[in-house]
Amino acid sequence: MTPFQYSRATSAAEAVQSAGLEAAKYLGGGTNLVDLMRETIERPAVLVDVTGLSANIDEREGGLLIGAAVRNTALAEHRVVRERYPVLARAILAGASAQIRNMATVGGNILQRTRCAYFYDDEGSRCNKRTPGQGCDALDGFNRMHAILGTSPACVATHPSDMCVALAALDATVHLEGRQGRRTLALTDLHRLPGDHPEIETVLEPGELITAVELPPLTMASTYRKVRDRASYAFALVSVAAALRVEDGAVKAVRLALGGVAHKPWRAWKAEAALKDGPVTAEAFRAAAEAELADAAPLRDNAFKIELAKRTMVSVLGELAGEAA
Amino acid sequence: MNILEQAGEAAKGAAQGVLKKAIELAPDSWLPGGRPDPLIHHQHGHVGKPMSRIDGPLKVKGAARFSAEFPLVGMTYAAVAFSTIAKGRIATLDIKAAAEAPGVVLVMTHLNAPPMKPTPLFMTHSKAAGGDNLAVMQDDRIHWNGQPVAVVLAETQEQADHAKSLIRVEYEAEPATTSLAAAKAQGTGPGQFMGEPLKLEIGDAEARLVEAPHKISATYRTPRQNHNAIEPHAAMLVWNGEELRVHDSSQGVAHTAWSLAKIFDIDEKQVNVTSPYVGGGFGSKCLWQHQVLGAAAAKLAARPVRIALSREGVFRVVGGRSLTEQHVAIGAQPDGRFTSIIHTGVTVMTRHNAFPEPFIVATRSGYAADNFKLDVEVAYIDMVANTFMRAPGEAVGTFGLECAIDELAEELGMDPIELRIRNEPEKDPTEGTPFSSRHIVEAYRAGAERFGWSQRTAPGMRREGEWLVGMGCATGTYPYYRMPGGAARITLTRDGRATVAVAAHEMGMGTATVNMSIAAERLGLPLDHVSIEYGDSTLPGVILAGGSQQTASIGASVIAAQRVLVTELLKLAGNDSPLAGLGADQVGGYDAGLAKLDEPERHESYASILSRAGRDEVVAQASAPPPLELQHWSMHSYSAIFCEVRVNAVTGETRVSRVLGSFDCGRILNPKTAASQFRGGIIMGLGLALMEETEFDERNGRIMNASLADYHVPVHLDVPPIEVIWTDIPDPHTPMGAHGVGEIGITGTGAAVANAVYNATGKRIRDLPLTLDKLM
Amino acid sequence: MSIIVNGSATPLPPDPRVSLLDLLREHLKLTGTKKGCNQGACGACTVLLDGERVVSCLTLAVQAEGRAVTTVEGLAQSDKLHPLQQAFIDRDGFQCGYCTPGQICSAIGMAAELERGVPSHVTGDLTAGTIAASREELAERMSGNLCRCGAHNGIIDAIAATFISKEAAQPYRPDGPEMAA
C-alpha cells in the first residue's frame, strides 16, 4: 500500500474541499478501495473518509432518499425497502457476505471497480483500465465472468455490483456534490460503457461526491435473481432485477436490468419496450429477452451467458407474473 | 464440564471398565501368522470412544499459536516479488527505490543472496521435503511465472509491502511451454510414483475390450486445483550463529529441518523446526521457497525474519494438484463381469519435480478383471511444481473410473451398486496379494439402505419446480500406508505420568487427541496422566503428516517404544516385585502399572517400580519396524459415497442436497474426530466436483485466480447435511486395527456428484468442475 | 485518538495503512484474529465492531477510532468459555482451528442480526417480523466465513445449539457415535 494521508469529513462540502487534489479518493466502507490500495492498483495520496456523512434513509414523496453513507445491511433491512422495494433488498442480500455488507456503503457500492482478474493482476497482466493503451489480456484470456453487452476492444470487464442492478431497474437518481455545486443524475447515466477509455468508469467530475440515492415510488411487484458459481458469496454470472405490473392480462408496466453482463448495470430498455402492453406469456418474455440480447457478443468463455441471461429473464418475469396473477 | 474434566470423567469410567484384564503388549509387526494388536479387541477403554479435541479450548479462544504468531525480538517483516514470465532470465533489476523506502532493512535478489544448495526434492531421500529441486535465488534464471525474484525485509509489513511494489524487473523471455497441447506435442514420458512406474499391463486389455459385448470408453478431464488451507504459508526464522530456528506451518518438521540443513550446508542438528499447530495443510505445507528465502534473508540481514505469504503468494510459490486427461474403457460380459479395464492418460508436471498426478492408483485394486492396461504419461510444462493434494491420484482418478462404471451400468441396464458388487475382487487384481481387510460390499449395503437408494429413479424423471433431482454413488479408496522412519519416545515419571514424544503434526486431524487416548490405554493410565509432544523436529521419528499414515506410523512407533519401556521396567522391578520373573510378553499395562496378563493381582504400579528403583523417570525410545505388512497384503481404506443433487433446469446451477458416506476404514479410533475427517474430505470433494479450478493462463503460464474470491471453495450454503457411517471392522494387520481416514473422504465424491447430476438431468459431464454452463 | 479493544483503550497506529487486523495481530499481539486472505474473501479476520461483524483486514485501524472492537480473546468471561466456544468443542466445529475465531465472532454478530430481523438472501418473506432460523438461513448467513477442513456441519450445529434451540441443533445422525460425545 502506498503511503497516504487520512482525513475524516464531517460534511459533504468539507469532503469536496478536502478532495481538491486529483490524487484524493473518498473512502466508504473500504471493502473494495482498501483491497485495491493493497494491490497498489489504487494509490491515492489522500483518503477522505466519508462514512460520517449522511446515513439516513428518509421517505420522500412516496419514494426514498438514501444517504450515501448508509451501510448495505441497513438499507436491506429497512422496513420500507423490504416492503416496497424487495428487488433492492434482495439484490443487496445477494451480494458479498454479511460482514462486507455491514461495512459497504451505498456510495462505495456504486463506485466499486471491476473484479476482472487481469485488472487485479497489477504486476503480470495488461489492462487498459489500469494503464490506458496498454492492451487487454482478458480479451483472449479467462473471460468466463466477462461482459457480453456494450463491450469494446479495449475492455470487456463487468461492473460487479448487485445493488446497482436493482437501482438501475428502479429508476434511481444519484445526488452529487462537487466543486461546481450539486446535481442529480439517473443511475443508468452514471456509469459509462468502456469504449476507448475504460479507465473512465463514470461521468463523475473529479472530486465529485455521491451524497445520496433517491428512489421514486414503485407500484409493481419486484424481485432479484442472481446466478453464480456457488450457492453464496460469489459474483454474478448473470443477475436480473425485475419489476412488473400486470393489468387485464397485459403487461402494464415493467422494469428490467441485468447484472454480470456489461461494464455497467444494464437496463434492459429493449426488452421493456417489447413487453410493454403485450401478453403475459412465456413466449412474449422469451421474445423480449431475445430482443435485449440480440447484440450480445460472446468471448472465448462466456457465450453461455447469452442464453443464461435470456432464461433467467424469462424465469424471473414468469415468477413475477405468477405473483401478480 | 470442561474438556479436561470430561476427559477425567471418561478416564475414570474407562479405568473402572478395564479392571478385569491387563492389556498385553502389541506385536511389533503384523506379518502373516502373527497376532493382531490386542488393543483392537479391547472394547472398554478410551480407544473407539468419541472424544473432544484436547486442543479445542485453545483453538476456540484463539490462543493456539500458529506459525506467524511467535513474536521474535528485533523481527523484520518480509515481502516477496514474483516473476511475471514463465521462462527466461532477469535482464535488469531496479531495487533502488525499494532499498531507499522507509523502514527497509534488506532487499535480497539473486545478486546478493547467500550461497545455497539445491532443494532436496521430495522422495529423493527419506527426509527430503522440497516441492522442486531448484536452487533458490542463485541465478537470474526464471523457471515459472510467479517465481520469487526479490525479497524485501522491513521494520513493518506495510513498509515491506510498499517497498516491494517499487521494485522494477525486466526480463528476457524465452519460449516457454505453457499449454497442454504444446506440452503433449513435445512428447510425453512415463510417469513414476513412489518409485514405481505408473504403467501396468496384464493380459491384452485392448483386444478384450474390442470383443466385449458391453463396453464404455470415454475421456474424463480434471483441472488444476489448489489446497487453499485457510492459514497461508508462513515461517518465522532466526539464526543463532550457525543454528537455524524455524517456526513453521509444516506437515513434515523433520523433513523440513533436514532439507534446510542440506540447503545451507549445515548439520541436521543445527536446524530446529517447530510447528505446534498447522492451519490446514492437505499436502501443501512442506518445503517451498518461502522458508528458504526467509532463512537466507535472516542470514544476510542478521535479523529474525517473518515471512508470511500473501494469498496470492501461496498460489505463486506453492504448487497444487495438476490437471489430468484420463481415458477410461471397460469391457464387460452381459452379466456385468469386467473383462478388461483400461485407464490411461496424461498429466502435466515440471522438469524440476517428480510428481505426476497418479490417477490410476485406485484402478489397480478396485475391481476384478483379467486384463488391465494402466498408464500415466507425463507432459512437461513451465509452471510452479505441482505437488500432492489430498488423496493425490485417487481424488481425481476415481472421478474417471467411477463415472465410467456408472456409464457402463447404464449401458448394461444394471444398478451401479450391483455392477460394482459383481466385480468385487477376491484378492488384489493386479498384485495378487490378499486384502488385509476389505468390506466395501457391507459398506455399500449399509449406505444404500440408510440413504434410500431404492428411491432412485431413471435419469431426468424427478422434478420439483425448476429443480431436477437425482441420486448418484461412487466408490472411494485410499491406500493404507505406513512410511518407514517412525519412532517414539515414552517418558514415564515417578508420579505415574507418561509423555509420548513424536515428531508428528496436528493439522486438525485430531492427532494429538487420538494418540493420547491410544497411549493411555496401552499403558493402562488415565487420560489425564498422558501427554503428547509433537510438532518439533528434535523429537524422535520421521513422521510425515501425509498419505493418511500418521496415526499408523505413530501407533507402530509407540508400540515399539512401549516394548522397550516394559523391558526396562521389569528390570527395574527386580526380584522384590510381584512381577518378578515375568517377561515382557507376560505382562501388560494395567491400572497405572504393569500386571501379569492372566493374573492381574500380580501388579505393581509404575510409581512403585520407579520409587523402589530410586528413579525419577524411565525413558524408552524405539523405532517402528519396517512396514512389511504392506508387502503381504493389499491394504486400503474404502468408502461408498451417496449423493443427491438438485440441478436447476433453467440455469444449470447444481446444489448438493444430501450426502452419505459409508466407510470401511478399519477400527475407528475416535469417532468424533474421524467423522469430521470424513466430512471434511467429502466437502473438499464437493468443491472438486462443482467449482474448484486453478485458472492457468496457457498464454503465459500465469495463475489468474490467485485469490479466495476467484478460486471458489465451498461456502456454508454449498454444504448439505453429510451423514457418515462406518463398518468399524478392525484390520488385524495394522496398529490398533485402523486405516487412515484423512484422505478417503474426497475420493469417490467427485464421481458420486457427477453420477447424481446424470441421474437428475440425463447429461453426462466428463469435465470437472460441473459448472452451470456445462449443464445448460 | 484511541480504539477500545476488548474493553481497553488502545492508541491508533501512526501509520494509517495499518489495518484493524494488523493492529490486533502485530501491534497488540492479539493473534486470535486470523489472516487468511487479507482481502475480505475468507472471513477469518472477522471481529465485532460496535457489535457488528466486519472483516478487520479491509478496515483501516484509523476508521475504528472511538469504536469498540471485540475479538475472540474478548469473548470468554474470565476462565469460562462463551457458550458458543464450548459448543464448537462439543460439536467438533473445527479441525485445524484457523478459521475458528472468525467463525465464532461472525456467528455472534449473526445471532444479533437474526434477532433484529435482518433478512438474508434465502429468506422467503422479506416482510415477516421474525425469521425462522432454519439450517439454510444459518448456512447462508455464515457463508462469508470459509472453512477448508470441512467443519461446516459442526459449525452450523454449534451455532444452532447455542442461539436457536436444542431441536434445531440436532446433528445429522442423532443416534450416531458423535452424539455420544
Side-chain angles (χ1 to χ4, degrees), chain B residues 43-68:
Chain B
Q43 295 299 329
H44 303 288
H46 315 306
V47 176
K49 302 285 188 300
M51 187 169 152
S52 294
R53 294 164 194 278
I54 57 171
D55 52 10
L58 283 179
K59 284 182 172 174
V60 299
K61 287 193 289 191
R65 201 68 81 65
F66 290 86
S67 60

PDB file of all heavy atoms in Angstrom, chain B residues 43-68:
ATOM      1  N   GLN B  43     -12.463 -53.423  24.255  1.00  0.00           N
ATOM      2  CA  GLN B  43     -13.655 -52.644  23.935  1.00  0.00           C
ATOM      3  C   GLN B  43     -14.063 -51.656  25.021  1.00  0.00           C
ATOM      4  O   GLN B  43     -15.024 -50.938  24.875  1.00  0.00           O
ATOM      5  CB  GLN B  43     -14.826 -53.596  23.644  1.00  0.00           C
ATOM      6  CG  GLN B  43     -14.604 -54.453  22.406  1.00  0.00           C
ATOM      7  CD  GLN B  43     -14.437 -53.649  21.133  1.00  0.00           C
ATOM      8  OE1 GLN B  43     -15.001 -52.561  20.983  1.00  0.00           O
ATOM      9  NE2 GLN B  43     -13.632 -54.137  20.199  1.00  0.00           N
ATOM     10  N   HIS B  44     -13.364 -51.628  26.122  1.00  0.00           N
ATOM     11  CA  HIS B  44     -13.861 -50.791  27.214  1.00  0.00           C
ATOM     12  C   HIS B  44     -12.919 -49.658  27.577  1.00  0.00           C
ATOM     13  O   HIS B  44     -13.054 -49.055  28.616  1.00  0.00           O
ATOM     14  CB  HIS B  44     -14.140 -51.673  28.441  1.00  0.00           C
ATOM     15  CG  HIS B  44     -15.113 -52.766  28.144  1.00  0.00           C
ATOM     16  ND1 HIS B  44     -16.455 -52.514  27.938  1.00  0.00           N
ATOM     17  CD2 HIS B  44     -14.945 -54.089  27.965  1.00  0.00           C
ATOM     18  CE1 HIS B  44     -17.063 -53.655  27.658  1.00  0.00           C
ATOM     19  NE2 HIS B  44     -16.173 -54.621  27.663  1.00  0.00           N
ATOM     20  N   GLY B  45     -11.958 -49.400  26.729  1.00  0.00           N
ATOM     21  CA  GLY B  45     -11.002 -48.348  27.042  1.00  0.00           C
ATOM     22  C   GLY B  45     -11.352 -47.043  26.361  1.00  0.00           C
ATOM     23  O   GLY B  45     -12.502 -46.784  26.031  1.00  0.00           O
ATOM     24  N   HIS B  46     -10.331 -46.234  26.179  1.00  0.00           N
ATOM     25  CA  HIS B  46     -10.535 -44.919  25.571  1.00  0.00           C
ATOM     26  C   HIS B  46     -10.711 -45.019  24.058  1.00  0.00           C
ATOM     27  O   HIS B  46     -11.429 -44.248  23.451  1.00  0.00           O
ATOM     28  CB  HIS B  46      -9.330 -44.023  25.847  1.00  0.00           C
ATOM     29  CG  HIS B  46      -8.836 -44.076  27.260  1.00  0.00           C
ATOM     30  ND1 HIS B  46      -9.672 -43.840  28.325  1.00  0.00           N
ATOM     31  CD2 HIS B  46      -7.610 -44.328  27.780  1.00  0.00           C
ATOM     32  CE1 HIS B  46      -8.980 -43.956  29.438  1.00  0.00           C
ATOM     33  NE2 HIS B  46      -7.727 -44.256  29.146  1.00  0.00           N
ATOM     34  N   VAL B  47      -9.996 -45.981  23.480  1.00  0.00           N
ATOM     35  CA  VAL B  47      -9.980 -46.062  22.021  1.00  0.00           C
ATOM     36  C   VAL B  47     -11.348 -46.505  21.516  1.00  0.00           C
ATOM     37  O   VAL B  47     -11.948 -47.437  22.049  1.00  0.00           O
ATOM     38  CB  VAL B  47      -8.885 -47.052  21.563  1.00  0.00           C
ATOM     39  CG1 VAL B  47      -8.925 -47.228  20.044  1.00  0.00           C
ATOM     40  CG2 VAL B  47      -7.523 -46.543  21.995  1.00  0.00           C
ATOM     41  N   GLY B  48     -11.816 -45.813  20.503  1.00  0.00           N
ATOM     42  CA  GLY B  48     -13.133 -46.129  19.964  1.00  0.00           C
ATOM     43  C   GLY B  48     -14.241 -45.296  20.591  1.00  0.00           C
ATOM     44  O   GLY B  48     -15.372 -45.342  20.137  1.00  0.00           O
ATOM     45  N   LYS B  49     -13.909 -44.527  21.626  1.00  0.00           N
ATOM     46  CA  LYS B  49     -14.909 -43.657  22.250  1.00  0.00           C
ATOM     47  C   LYS B  49     -14.774 -42.247  21.683  1.00  0.00           C
ATOM     48  O   LYS B  49     -13.661 -41.776  21.458  1.00  0.00           O
ATOM     49  CB  LYS B  49     -14.678 -43.581  23.767  1.00  0.00           C
ATOM     50  CG  LYS B  49     -14.719 -44.914  24.475  1.00  0.00           C
ATOM     51  CD  LYS B  49     -16.153 -45.437  24.617  1.00  0.00           C
ATOM     52  CE  LYS B  49     -16.200 -46.672  25.485  1.00  0.00           C
ATOM     53  NZ  LYS B  49     -15.385 -47.783  24.952  1.00  0.00           N
ATOM     54  N   PRO B  50     -15.906 -41.593  21.475  1.00  0.00           N
ATOM     55  CA  PRO B  50     -15.812 -40.219  20.976  1.00  0.00           C
ATOM     56  C   PRO B  50     -15.164 -39.323  22.021  1.00  0.00           C
ATOM     57  O   PRO B  50     -15.506 -39.373  23.197  1.00  0.00           O
ATOM     58  CB  PRO B  50     -17.262 -39.830  20.733  1.00  0.00           C
ATOM     59  CG  PRO B  50     -18.075 -40.781  21.516  1.00  0.00           C
ATOM     60  CD  PRO B  50     -17.285 -42.031  21.689  1.00  0.00           C
ATOM     61  N   MET B  51     -14.236 -38.537  21.568  1.00  0.00           N
ATOM     62  CA  MET B  51     -13.506 -37.687  22.497  1.00  0.00           C
ATOM     63  C   MET B  51     -13.303 -36.321  21.852  1.00  0.00           C
ATOM     64  O   MET B  51     -12.932 -36.234  20.686  1.00  0.00           O
ATOM     65  CB  MET B  51     -12.158 -38.364  22.776  1.00  0.00           C
ATOM     66  CG  MET B  51     -11.352 -37.707  23.847  1.00  0.00           C
ATOM     67  SD  MET B  51      -9.972 -38.805  24.248  1.00  0.00           S
ATOM     68  CE  MET B  51      -8.807 -37.595  24.773  1.00  0.00           C
ATOM     69  N   SER B  52     -13.570 -35.276  22.624  1.00  0.00           N
ATOM     70  CA  SER B  52     -13.349 -33.925  22.105  1.00  0.00           C
ATOM     71  C   SER B  52     -11.861 -33.656  21.981  1.00  0.00           C
ATOM     72  O   SER B  52     -11.054 -34.234  22.707  1.00  0.00           O
ATOM     73  CB  SER B  52     -13.995 -32.896  23.029  1.00  0.00           C
ATOM     74  OG  SER B  52     -15.393 -33.036  23.019  1.00  0.00           O
ATOM     75  N   ARG B  53     -11.530 -32.732  21.094  1.00  0.00           N
ATOM     76  CA  ARG B  53     -10.115 -32.415  20.852  1.00  0.00           C
ATOM     77  C   ARG B  53      -9.468 -31.821  22.095  1.00  0.00           C
ATOM     78  O   ARG B  53     -10.027 -30.911  22.700  1.00  0.00           O
ATOM     79  CB  ARG B  53     -10.008 -31.378  19.730  1.00  0.00           C
ATOM     80  CG  ARG B  53     -10.448 -31.892  18.417  1.00  0.00           C
ATOM     81  CD  ARG B  53     -10.696 -30.775  17.416  1.00  0.00           C
ATOM     82  NE  ARG B  53     -11.434 -31.352  16.304  1.00  0.00           N
ATOM     83  CZ  ARG B  53     -10.847 -32.023  15.306  1.00  0.00           C
ATOM     84  NH1 ARG B  53      -9.545 -32.118  15.258  1.00  0.00           N
ATOM     85  NH2 ARG B  53     -11.579 -32.565  14.369  1.00  0.00           N
ATOM     86  N   ILE B  54      -8.277 -32.292  22.388  1.00  0.00           N
ATOM     87  CA  ILE B  54      -7.617 -31.745  23.575  1.00  0.00           C
ATOM     88  C   ILE B  54      -7.147 -30.315  23.339  1.00  0.00           C
ATOM     89  O   ILE B  54      -6.982 -29.561  24.279  1.00  0.00           O
ATOM     90  CB  ILE B  54      -6.433 -32.630  24.037  1.00  0.00           C
ATOM     91  CG1 ILE B  54      -5.418 -32.817  22.910  1.00  0.00           C
ATOM     92  CG2 ILE B  54      -6.931 -33.961  24.546  1.00  0.00           C
ATOM     93  CD1 ILE B  54      -4.140 -33.497  23.376  1.00  0.00           C
ATOM     94  N   ASP B  55      -6.978 -29.929  22.068  1.00  0.00           N
ATOM     95  CA  ASP B  55      -6.569 -28.549  21.804  1.00  0.00           C
ATOM     96  C   ASP B  55      -7.779 -27.646  21.539  1.00  0.00           C
ATOM     97  O   ASP B  55      -7.624 -26.488  21.172  1.00  0.00           O
ATOM     98  CB  ASP B  55      -5.578 -28.486  20.640  1.00  0.00           C
ATOM     99  CG  ASP B  55      -6.084 -29.203  19.391  1.00  0.00           C
ATOM    100  OD1 ASP B  55      -7.279 -29.584  19.361  1.00  0.00           O
ATOM    101  OD2 ASP B  55      -5.291 -29.375  18.454  1.00  0.00           O
ATOM    102  N   GLY B  56      -8.959 -28.198  21.753  1.00  0.00           N
ATOM    103  CA  GLY B  56     -10.171 -27.432  21.481  1.00  0.00           C
ATOM    104  C   GLY B  56     -10.268 -26.112  22.219  1.00  0.00           C
ATOM    105  O   GLY B  56     -10.482 -25.065  21.603  1.00  0.00           O
ATOM    106  N   PRO B  57     -10.092 -26.123  23.551  1.00  0.00           N
ATOM    107  CA  PRO B  57     -10.216 -24.850  24.278  1.00  0.00           C
ATOM    108  C   PRO B  57      -9.256 -23.781  23.751  1.00  0.00           C
ATOM    109  O   PRO B  57      -9.636 -22.619  23.596  1.00  0.00           O
ATOM    110  CB  PRO B  57      -9.890 -25.247  25.721  1.00  0.00           C
ATOM    111  CG  PRO B  57     -10.288 -26.690  25.812  1.00  0.00           C
ATOM    112  CD  PRO B  57      -9.954 -27.267  24.462  1.00  0.00           C
ATOM    113  N   LEU B  58      -8.032 -24.174  23.438  1.00  0.00           N
ATOM    114  CA  LEU B  58      -7.082 -23.182  22.912  1.00  0.00           C
ATOM    115  C   LEU B  58      -7.548 -22.654  21.564  1.00  0.00           C
ATOM    116  O   LEU B  58      -7.463 -21.458  21.280  1.00  0.00           O
ATOM    117  CB  LEU B  58      -5.694 -23.817  22.751  1.00  0.00           C
ATOM    118  CG  LEU B  58      -4.863 -24.005  24.013  1.00  0.00           C
ATOM    119  CD1 LEU B  58      -3.536 -24.656  23.664  1.00  0.00           C
ATOM    120  CD2 LEU B  58      -4.623 -22.653  24.687  1.00  0.00           C
ATOM    121  N   LYS B  59      -8.029 -23.540  20.740  1.00  0.00           N
ATOM    122  CA  LYS B  59      -8.409 -23.108  19.388  1.00  0.00           C
ATOM    123  C   LYS B  59      -9.638 -22.212  19.401  1.00  0.00           C
ATOM    124  O   LYS B  59      -9.703 -21.239  18.658  1.00  0.00           O
ATOM    125  CB  LYS B  59      -8.614 -24.329  18.489  1.00  0.00           C
ATOM    126  CG  LYS B  59      -7.272 -24.957  18.064  1.00  0.00           C
ATOM    127  CD  LYS B  59      -7.435 -26.139  17.136  1.00  0.00           C
ATOM    128  CE  LYS B  59      -6.059 -26.580  16.602  1.00  0.00           C
ATOM    129  NZ  LYS B  59      -6.148 -27.811  15.799  1.00  0.00           N
ATOM    130  N   VAL B  60     -10.629 -22.517  20.216  1.00  0.00           N
ATOM    131  CA  VAL B  60     -11.829 -21.671  20.211  1.00  0.00           C
ATOM    132  C   VAL B  60     -11.576 -20.324  20.882  1.00  0.00           C
ATOM    133  O   VAL B  60     -12.322 -19.372  20.675  1.00  0.00           O
ATOM    134  CB  VAL B  60     -13.053 -22.357  20.859  1.00  0.00           C
ATOM    135  CG1 VAL B  60     -13.419 -23.625  20.112  1.00  0.00           C
ATOM    136  CG2 VAL B  60     -12.832 -22.634  22.336  1.00  0.00           C
ATOM    137  N   LYS B  61     -10.520 -20.257  21.689  1.00  0.00           N
ATOM    138  CA  LYS B  61     -10.185 -18.967  22.306  1.00  0.00           C
ATOM    139  C   LYS B  61      -9.213 -18.156  21.448  1.00  0.00           C
ATOM    140  O   LYS B  61      -8.830 -17.054  21.807  1.00  0.00           O
ATOM    141  CB  LYS B  61      -9.556 -19.199  23.690  1.00  0.00           C
ATOM    142  CG  LYS B  61     -10.576 -19.650  24.727  1.00  0.00           C
ATOM    143  CD  LYS B  61     -10.007 -19.567  26.135  1.00  0.00           C
ATOM    144  CE  LYS B  61      -8.953 -20.619  26.381  1.00  0.00           C
ATOM    145  NZ  LYS B  61      -8.566 -20.728  27.794  1.00  0.00           N
ATOM    146  N   GLY B  62      -8.794 -18.729  20.344  1.00  0.00           N
ATOM    147  CA  GLY B  62      -7.805 -18.032  19.516  1.00  0.00           C
ATOM    148  C   GLY B  62      -6.433 -18.051  20.164  1.00  0.00           C
ATOM    149  O   GLY B  62      -5.576 -17.235  19.849  1.00  0.00           O
ATOM    150  N   ALA B  63      -6.220 -18.960  21.103  1.00  0.00           N
ATOM    151  CA  ALA B  63      -4.961 -18.966  21.845  1.00  0.00           C
ATOM    152  C   ALA B  63      -3.960 -19.993  21.309  1.00  0.00           C
ATOM    153  O   ALA B  63      -2.834 -20.055  21.785  1.00  0.00           O
ATOM    154  CB  ALA B  63      -5.240 -19.245  23.320  1.00  0.00           C
ATOM    155  N   ALA B  64      -4.373 -20.806  20.344  1.00  0.00           N
ATOM    156  CA  ALA B  64      -3.420 -21.730  19.720  1.00  0.00           C
ATOM    157  C   ALA B  64      -2.516 -20.902  18.812  1.00  0.00           C
ATOM    158  O   ALA B  64      -2.991 -20.161  17.972  1.00  0.00           O
ATOM    159  CB  ALA B  64      -4.169 -22.794  18.924  1.00  0.00           C
ATOM    160  N   ARG B  65      -1.235 -21.024  19.010  1.00  0.00           N
ATOM    161  CA  ARG B  65      -0.271 -20.166  18.315  1.00  0.00           C
ATOM    162  C   ARG B  65       0.128 -20.793  16.973  1.00  0.00           C
ATOM    163  O   ARG B  65       0.761 -21.838  16.942  1.00  0.00           O
ATOM    164  CB  ARG B  65       0.927 -20.018  19.244  1.00  0.00           C
ATOM    165  CG  ARG B  65       1.834 -18.858  19.054  1.00  0.00           C
ATOM    166  CD  ARG B  65       1.267 -17.506  19.376  1.00  0.00           C
ATOM    167  NE  ARG B  65       1.250 -17.110  20.772  1.00  0.00           N
ATOM    168  CZ  ARG B  65       2.329 -16.901  21.507  1.00  0.00           C
ATOM    169  NH1 ARG B  65       3.533 -17.112  21.050  1.00  0.00           N
ATOM    170  NH2 ARG B  65       2.206 -16.480  22.732  1.00  0.00           N
ATOM    171  N   PHE B  66      -0.233 -20.146  15.879  1.00  0.00           N
ATOM    172  CA  PHE B  66       0.147 -20.624  14.543  1.00  0.00           C
ATOM    173  C   PHE B  66       1.484 -19.997  14.135  1.00  0.00           C
ATOM    174  O   PHE B  66       2.015 -19.139  14.834  1.00  0.00           O
ATOM    175  CB  PHE B  66      -0.966 -20.314  13.540  1.00  0.00           C
ATOM    176  CG  PHE B  66      -2.203 -21.151  13.766  1.00  0.00           C
ATOM    177  CD1 PHE B  66      -3.184 -20.757  14.667  1.00  0.00           C
ATOM    178  CD2 PHE B  66      -2.368 -22.363  13.107  1.00  0.00           C
ATOM    179  CE1 PHE B  66      -4.307 -21.540  14.902  1.00  0.00           C
ATOM    180  CE2 PHE B  66      -3.479 -23.152  13.339  1.00  0.00           C
ATOM    181  CZ  PHE B  66      -4.457 -22.740  14.235  1.00  0.00           C
ATOM    182  N   SER B  67       1.986 -20.438  12.983  1.00  0.00           N
ATOM    183  CA  SER B  67       3.400 -20.193  12.672  1.00  0.00           C
ATOM    184  C   SER B  67       3.791 -18.724  12.631  1.00  0.00           C
ATOM    185  O   SER B  67       4.908 -18.381  12.994  1.00  0.00           O
ATOM    186  CB  SER B  67       3.758 -20.859  11.346  1.00  0.00           C
ATOM    187  OG  SER B  67       2.956 -20.335  10.313  1.00  0.00           O
ATOM    188  N   ALA B  68       2.902 -17.843  12.184  1.00  0.00           N
ATOM    189  CA  ALA B  68       3.283 -16.437  12.053  1.00  0.00           C
ATOM    190  C   ALA B  68       3.117 -15.688  13.367  1.00  0.00           C
ATOM    191  O   ALA B  68       3.236 -14.469  13.403  1.00  0.00           O
ATOM    192  CB  ALA B  68       2.450 -15.771  10.959  1.00  0.00           C
TER     193      ALA B  68
END
